[in-house]
Amino acid sequence: VYLETTFGRWRSETRERTFNSWSSQITLSPAARLSRRDSPWFLDVGVGPSWITPLFQNDEKHFSTTFNFRSHVGFGRVFGDSRRHSVDLRVEH
């Protein structure tokens, strides 16, 4: 189990390119890495609160609040001395 902190910067524009928006996102997600001791493969899952500012909106859609939740699931493999390094592929929402 670990705590993941992320910072992201988003750019959004409409199909007509009449509206441009920049948003910043900060997330704090408790997560778990699940694996068997004898396998280098793992499953990674987590969910936590997210804060986006300014409030995301464009011509087509908008968020109703700056507070949301971020979740992820992924899989990967550890390698190297003492299994200190890892590579994973994840899907985030």
Side-chain angles (χ1 to χ4, degrees):
V1 175
Y2 63 95
L3 189 61
E4 180 176 280
T5 305
T6 60
F7 174 79
R9 188 89 165 121
W10 299 25
R11 181 171 185 264
S12 172
E13 62 183 40
T14 61
R15 288 187 199 114
E16 296 82 22
R17 299 181 189 266
T18 59
F19 188 92
N20 288 321
S21 173
W22 281 96
S23 298
S24 297
Q25 179 181 21
I26 299 170
T27 304
L28 186 64
S29 298
R33 181 167 283 184
L34 310 169
S35 66
R36 293 184 0 188
R37 292 180 195 256
D38 61 341
S39 175
W41 298 97
F42 62 84
L43 175 68
D44 203 17
V45 295
V47 64
S50 179
W51 181 61
I52 299 174
T53 186
L55 185 64
F56 176 83
Q57 57 186 353
N58 65 23
D59 292 340
E60 299 168 358
K61 60 180 143 181
H62 68 278
F63 290 173
S64 61
T65 177
T66 57
F67 291 99
N68 294 281
F69 282 88
R70 176 183 162 269
S71 58
H72 75 268
V73 63
F75 70 95
R77 189 175 197 282
V78 294
F79 60 94
D81 293 338
S82 303
R83 298 167 60 127
R84 290 184 178 180
H85 306 284
S86 66
V87 174
D88 67 312
L89 178 65
R90 65 166 57 174
V91 176
E92 297 184 8
H93 177 263

